[in-house]
Structure formats: C-alpha cells, structure tokens
Amino acid sequence: MNHPASGIVSPLLRLLTALFIVATGIWGMFALWYQAQGPLAARIAGIALWLGAGALALRSLRTRRRIVVGYMIVFALLLGWWSMLKPSHDRIWADDVAQLLRGHIQGDIVTLENVRNFAWRSETDYTPRWETREYDLSKLESADLILSYWMGPAIAHTLVSFGFSDGRRIVFSLEIRKERHESFSAIAGFFRQYETIIVASDERDIVLTRTNARGEDVYLYRLDLPPEALRTAFLAYVDQANQLARTPDFYNTLTSNCTTIVFDLARLLDPGLPLDYRLLASGYFAEYAYDHKGLAPGIPFETLHARGRITQRALAAGDTPEFPRRIREGVPGIDTSPVPARSEQ
C-alpha cells in the first residue's frame, strides 16, 4: 500500500528540479557572457545552446529524465570550468588602480607604498601621482565613515578616513580593480569580472573626485572608536592590502565589497555585530553604525545625517590644502580648528 505522501513527492521533486534548472540556466547565461572567451557571435551562440539545453530539460521533466540528468552533467562541467578561472595581477589596468598598495610596519611607524594622490580636473582629465608615505600610529586619533552615493539612496560607496594629531589623513577604500576598457557593473561583479584592490588615498583625491569630478553626493560621520580600536582597524586595512598584493582575489558585489570589508573590520572589534540588510543596501550603512553605537554619541541620527552632508562644502572648497578641514565644518563630534599644515611628501 502506498504512503499517503507518496503522491506529493514526485510533483514536489519536479518543482524543485525545475527551479534548479531555471536558476542555474540564468547563472550560466551570465557566467558565459562575462567570462567566455572568443568573438561576440561565438559567445552568443554558446549562451543560446546553454539556454536551449535548459529549456529542453524543463520540457523533459515528466517523460525523459535522461535529458535532465544530461543537463546536470553539463552544468557540472560548467562549474568545473568556472572553478578554473583565476584572478590575476597581470592585466592592463585603469590608471587609478594601476598600482597595488603595500604596507611596512616597524613599531608605530607604518610606511605605505603607492598611496594615490591624483590631481583630478574631471573624471577623465587628471594627473597621476603615486607616493610613499609614513604614518605614526602613536598620533592616530580619529576615523570617519564616508558614504558616497552614486545610484540612489540605497547604494553608496563606503570609505574610511583615518586622522592623525598632526593634521594628516589617509583614506582606505576597497574597490574593483578594473581594466583600462572596463567600467563598473554590479551584475558583472557577481561573475568574476573584476579583481579586488585596496586603495589608500589622499582625501583631495578620493573624496574630491567623487564630489567635484563625478557629481556624487557624499556624507561624512565621525566614528566613535577608542585608540586601540583605531589602531586595530588601520592595521587591518594594511594587512588586507598586503594580502591582496601577494595573492589576487576576485571582487564580489555581494560578499566582498566596499561595505562588507568595513563590517568585517568592525567584527574584529565587536564579534557580536549582527548581519543586517543594510550591509547590502550600503546607502543605509551609517544608520546601521548608529544603531550599534559606532557614530558620535548623544546626537540624533537625523542631525548626524543632515550635518554630515559634505557635498556643497567640498564643491566650495575645491582642490586646496584646506579641503579636509572645510568639508568637516559643522560635522558633529569633529573639531575643525586649523592644524599646522604638514607636507605629505
């Protein structure tokens, strides 16, 4: 006698198999589009064959299970090909990610090679400058969270700027390492289109170019971190940069991006930090940091957000040595009294 549930198993199994075929069919289409080599016509033909195989497998779920098994075998071969794709340092890189950051630590002194300090006149008109700089961790006194909005309120690029008592600042940013002909695509970021790079940059480069050259809307918040946490976070960025310099890695829009690295660093300081949708919707990451007591204390988030908008101040300041101080005027928790200027050279 058949079990009462036996009649359900087969339809349920077919449904799950159908969902699997649809999901893997879509994934395989994008994987082939972004990673298959050869002429465009050949890639399109390969995608058409792959989608045709998926459609045939869907039609065969009830009557021809061997075709479904054949689809599974082809998918396994596709995964095998995918696993053989390797990241590389040997490509023709765009100018702004051409050099890899490396750090050397001796006691409190950190020497950073390939700090970016471009002079940006527009997004395509710039003077490249790569510098070697030294920073004294005993003078590290602050860190600021910077969010640069480039595609609506939910999507922002996340940066962290570290400040020193002598007025010097350095910004760390995890970015795609794009080739000279490439531009960013969130979809391509799921399919091993880009390598990952840690950029260390002068604020007059990486912040000014976003507000003044790209027209992005930028917000700055003072992080509430004790001295030991500042040091841990700074050195974690340096360590990550050195790891990437030794071993290239792929960027991933979901799991390895500009916001997830900040979250990973925060978990070094507080392992109990929970996962949250705002780690994906990075435009709301400042609110996540506020909810977990990471921003200037005692001030409503609405005030921090309104007074942290630095876009107009950045546009007004322009490319001047006073840029870091002027963009922080009025930001809660920050003293913008002038500090004697020190050359970064």
Side-chain angles (χ1 to χ4, degrees):
M1 181 175 179
N2 290 333
H3 192 278
S6 61
I8 301 175
V9 173
S10 183
L12 178 60
L13 181 60
R14 284 199 300 269
L15 174 61
L16 293 175
T17 304
L19 291 174
F20 175 83
I21 292 171
V22 170
T24 56
I26 294 171
W27 179 87
M29 175 184 68
F30 282 110
L32 290 168
W33 175 256
Y34 285 111
Q35 293 299 334
Q37 302 299 309
L40 178 61
R43 281 192 293 155
I44 293 174
I47 291 170
L49 288 172
W50 169 251
L51 294 178
L56 182 60
L58 283 173
R59 292 185 61 184
S60 304
L61 279 173
R62 287 178 175 271
T63 58
R64 303 175 69 182
R65 294 181 181 178
R66 289 183 180 180
I67 292 179
V68 177
V69 172
Y71 175 86
M72 302 291 188
I73 293 172
V74 174
F75 177 65
L77 293 174
L78 188 65
L79 282 180
W81 162 76
W82 180 258
S83 69
M84 295 175 64
L85 298 175
K86 303 298 181 184
S88 174
H89 286 325
D90 186 20
R91 307 191 195 279
I92 302 175
W93 303 111
D95 290 341
D96 58 333
V97 289
Q99 302 297 326
L100 288 167
L101 175 67
R102 292 179 173 85
H104 308 279
I105 304 166
Q106 289 188 326
D108 284 338
I109 304 303
V110 178
T111 302
L112 298 179
E113 297 178 5
N114 296 321
V115 174
R116 201 181 72 196
N117 188 22
F118 282 26
W120 296 89
R121 291 170 291 276
S122 72
E123 197 169 357
T124 58
D125 181 18
Y126 49 83
T127 301
R129 291 194 299 249
W130 297 95
E131 302 171 354
T132 296
R133 296 184 179 182
E134 286 188 354
Y135 293 91
D136 186 346
L137 293 179
S138 68
K139 297 180 179 179
L140 180 60
E141 66 174 11
S142 68
D144 297 323
L145 174 68
I146 300 173
L147 297 180
S148 184
Y149 292 80
W150 55 275
M151 194 176 72
I155 304 298
H157 186 74
T158 308
L159 312 94
V160 176
S161 178
F162 291 90
F164 295 78
S165 59
D166 57 7
R168 305 175 78 203
R169 295 187 182 277
I170 187 73
V171 184
F172 289 102
S173 171
L174 185 144
E175 304 190 2
I176 64 166
R177 196 178 191 197
K178 59 186 182 294
E179 296 178 60
R180 190 164 293 172
H181 65 279
E182 291 180 327
S183 58
F184 177 72
S185 163
I187 295 176
F190 285 105
F191 294 95
R192 299 186 173 182
Q193 182 72 8
Y194 315 110
E195 276 79 8
T196 296
I197 188 171
I198 298 286
V199 174
S201 178
D202 193 279
E203 283 191 348
R204 290 164 62 189
D205 172 329
I206 202 166
V207 179
L208 183 143
T209 187
R210 291 179 177 275
T211 54
N212 296 35
R214 299 183 184 177
E216 298 179 9
D217 201 17
V218 180
Y219 289 75
L220 184 147
Y221 307 86
R222 175 54 50 92
L223 290 169
D224 185 27
L225 297 175
E228 63 274 14
L230 289 171
R231 185 185 183 104
T232 297
F234 187 98
L235 291 177
Y237 266 113
V238 175
D239 180 64
Q240 182 68 25
N242 284 336
Q243 288 186 41
L244 288 172
R246 290 190 297 267
T247 307
D249 197 9
F250 284 119
Y251 176 92
N252 185 281
T253 300
L254 182 63
T255 62
S256 176
N257 59 52
C258 62
T259 304
T260 58
I261 187 175
V262 177
F263 176 71
D264 290 342
L265 297 182
R267 271 197 161 175
L268 289 176
L269 310 175
D270 182 0
L273 282 175
L275 294 174
D276 192 288
Y277 78 94
R278 291 168 292 189
L279 301 174
L280 302 178
S282 53
Y284 306 117
F285 183 69
E287 188 176 1
Y288 173 86
Y290 177 82
D291 287 346
H292 295 282
K293 304 185 186 306
L295 303 185
I299 303 170
F301 179 75
E302 292 74 14
T303 302
L304 295 176
H305 182 71
R307 293 170 62 183
R309 186 171 184 262
I310 66 170
T311 306
Q312 294 304 318
R313 295 194 290 272
L315 290 169
D319 189 8
T320 68
E322 288 288 288
F323 181 83
R325 183 182 66 82
R326 291 181 61 182
I327 64 174
R328 288 173 169 80
E329 290 175 349
V331 176
I334 299 180
D335 179 7
T336 55
S337 302
V339 176
R342 170 177 170 168
S343 171
E344 293 283 10
Q345 304 298 324

